[in-house]
């Protein structure tokens, strides 16, 4: 009886999960494809202009955009993998590919930031003349292009995957803005150090956002409790359901963006009432905490103690 109802919780999730992907799949990916094409083309233009104009701001932004091309390609791969159905070997499917890709994108961003900082320090030690006018023209075009890419990505389904891609492109947008300012300062004042200085400022902004992204993806990969949920609060809510004595072995983790899973052992008064109790708990978890992949194992108190499992109540209901 316990096994039957535990599998019932899994069945409910997969049905809802497949429905969600069927609804989002036709649109998801189109913005990524357009963004990939635009970013790759502009990276080549910006790198060529940066070399001719001796602008580190343009070259660093071009390097960032080349990394974005890789990031967007990885994001598209994650979308493709996420659409593959579950199998006997991968019973959860491949939705977590987006988490792995987001983590890899974060590491790539760290490498890009490091390269920009090293180049900026060297440029400050050995200044080079910058062609301000050319820098301003390409940077202005970059702002328009990156703004369009951000808009296209914002229309995608919001996941850690698309968030990491947007973070890359926002870094480009800031880089283009910095290059525009640097070009203007050089053009009107001739002060070349502004170019590497602004590169360092943008690197700091990118680094802050990248660390936040890496922390979030690592939490998912380590099966951590989602940051917006309180494990004990969820346990108390379950334990307060009439007919429940206590809850133990409670685990909550993220399968992929927007999809959370929960498993727990529930000590109950009477196993005969478990079917109705399970439905109440599933509804509670879905409506209050947005958790729809649920596996609950019912136990009666004497059975739990017989198997040597210490029953640690999580705010059990008042007698």
């Amino acid at each position: 009886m316990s096994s039957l109802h535990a599998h019932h919780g899994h069945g409910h999730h997969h049905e809802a999960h497949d429905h969600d992907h069927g609804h989002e799949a036709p649109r998801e990916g189109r913005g990524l494809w357009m963004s990939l094409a635009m970013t790759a083309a502009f990276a080549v233009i910006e790198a060529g202009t940066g070399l001719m104009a001796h602008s580190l701001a343009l070259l660093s932004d071009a390097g960032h955009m080349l990394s974005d091309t890789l990031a967007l390609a990885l994001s598209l791969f994650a979308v493709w993998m996420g659409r593959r159905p579950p199998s006997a070997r991968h019973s959860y499917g491949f939705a977590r590919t987006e988490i792995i890709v987001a983590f890899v994108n974060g590491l790539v961003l760290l490498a890009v930031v490091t390269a920009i900082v090293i180049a900026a320090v060297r440029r400050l030690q050995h200044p080079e003349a910058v062609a301000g006018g050319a820098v301003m023209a390409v940077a202005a075009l970059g702002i328009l292009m990156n703004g369009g890419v951000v808009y296209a990505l914002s229309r995608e389904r919001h996941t850690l995957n698309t968030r990491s891609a947007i973070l890359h492109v926002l870094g480009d947008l800031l880089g283009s803005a910095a290059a525009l300012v640097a070009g203007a300062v050089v053009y009107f004042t001739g002060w070349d150090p502004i170019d590497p200085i602004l590169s360092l400022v943008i690197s700091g902004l990118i680094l802050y956002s990248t660390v936040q992204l890496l922390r979030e993806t690592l939490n998912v990969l380590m099966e951590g409790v989602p940051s917006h949920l309180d494990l004990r609060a969820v346990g108390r809510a379950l334990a307060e359901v009439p007919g429940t004595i206590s809850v133990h072995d409670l685990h909550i983790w993220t399968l992929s963006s927007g999809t959370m899973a929960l498993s727990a052992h529930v000590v109950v008064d009477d196993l005969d009432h478990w079917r109705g109790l399970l439905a109440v708990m599933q509804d509670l978890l879905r409506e209050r905490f947005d958790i729809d992949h649920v596996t609950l194992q019912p136990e009666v108190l004497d059975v739990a103690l017989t198997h040597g499992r210490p029953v640690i109540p999580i705010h059990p209901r008042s007698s």
Side-chain angles (χ1 to χ4, degrees), residues 18-315:
D18 292 341
H19 175 77
D20 279 348
H21 279 273
H23 177 72
E24 295 288 351
R27 190 180 72 181
E28 187 175 10
R30 290 189 302 185
L32 286 169
W33 275 113
M34 184 177 73
S35 301
L36 176 63
M38 293 173 65
T39 301
F42 191 75
V44 174
I45 295 172
E46 196 168 34
T49 306
L51 287 171
M52 290 186 294
H54 301 287
S55 170
L56 180 61
L58 278 184
L59 286 173
S60 62
D61 194 43
H64 189 195
M65 293 195 73
L66 286 174
S67 76
D68 289 352
T69 302
L70 172 62
L72 290 167
L74 286 172
S75 296
L76 280 165
F77 172 73
V79 171
W80 175 73
M81 286 292 291
R83 291 175 182 170
R84 297 181 64 183
S87 65
R89 182 168 294 276
H90 299 94
S91 58
Y92 279 127
F94 297 86
R96 184 162 283 194
T97 304
E98 57 135 318
I99 306 297
I100 298 172
V101 165
F103 182 72
V104 171
N105 280 341
L107 294 180
V108 171
L109 276 169
L110 286 182
V112 170
V113 167
T114 301
I116 292 173
V117 169
I118 292 173
V121 171
R122 287 176 179 172
R123 179 63 64 87
L124 286 171
Q125 294 172 338
H126 307 285
E128 293 184 22
V130 177
V135 172
M136 288 172 62
V138 175
L141 181 60
I143 290 174
L144 293 175
M145 193 280 299
N146 286 311
V149 171
V150 170
Y151 175 75
L153 290 176
S154 68
R155 296 175 62 82
E156 293 282 314
R157 189 166 65 93
H158 287 183
T159 65
L160 277 174
N161 182 32
T162 54
R163 179 181 156 194
S164 69
I166 290 174
L167 180 56
H168 272 272
V169 180
L170 282 175
D172 283 333
L173 186 60
L174 289 173
S176 294
L180 180 63
V181 173
V185 171
V186 171
Y187 185 80
F188 291 108
T189 70
W191 192 53
D192 293 325
I194 188 64
D195 188 69
I197 288 173
L198 285 179
S199 295
L200 289 172
V201 172
I202 296 304
S203 295
L205 295 174
I206 297 172
L207 178 63
Y208 175 79
S209 298
T210 300
V211 169
Q212 297 296 109
L213 175 68
L214 286 173
R215 285 180 60 185
E216 191 169 345
T217 52
L218 272 175
N219 186 61
V220 175
L221 293 174
M222 294 297 293
E223 307 287 358
V225 177
S227 58
H228 67 285
L229 289 179
D230 182 335
L231 185 75
R232 296 193 65 84
V234 176
R236 283 195 297 269
L238 290 173
E240 288 171 354
V241 174
T244 304
I245 296 175
S246 64
V247 175
H248 64 101
D249 289 335
L250 174 63
H251 302 281
I252 307 173
W253 66 100
T254 302
L255 295 175
S256 62
S257 291
T259 305
M260 292 174 291
L262 176 148
S263 68
H265 288 242
V266 182
V267 182
V268 297
D269 291 332
D270 187 349
L271 283 177
D272 290 338
H273 299 148
W274 174 243
R275 185 180 295 275
L277 194 60
L278 174 64
V280 171
M281 289 184 170
Q282 285 180 324
D283 289 342
L284 181 151
L285 291 169
R286 183 174 56 253
E287 294 170 6
R288 190 185 302 183
F289 302 105
D290 199 25
I291 303 173
D292 62 357
H293 193 295
V294 177
T295 303
L296 299 174
Q297 175 68 42
E299 298 174 351
V300 291
L301 185 59
D302 57 344
V303 171
L305 294 176
T306 299
H307 285 99
R309 295 184 181 129
V311 179
I312 303 174
I314 301 180
H315 193 69

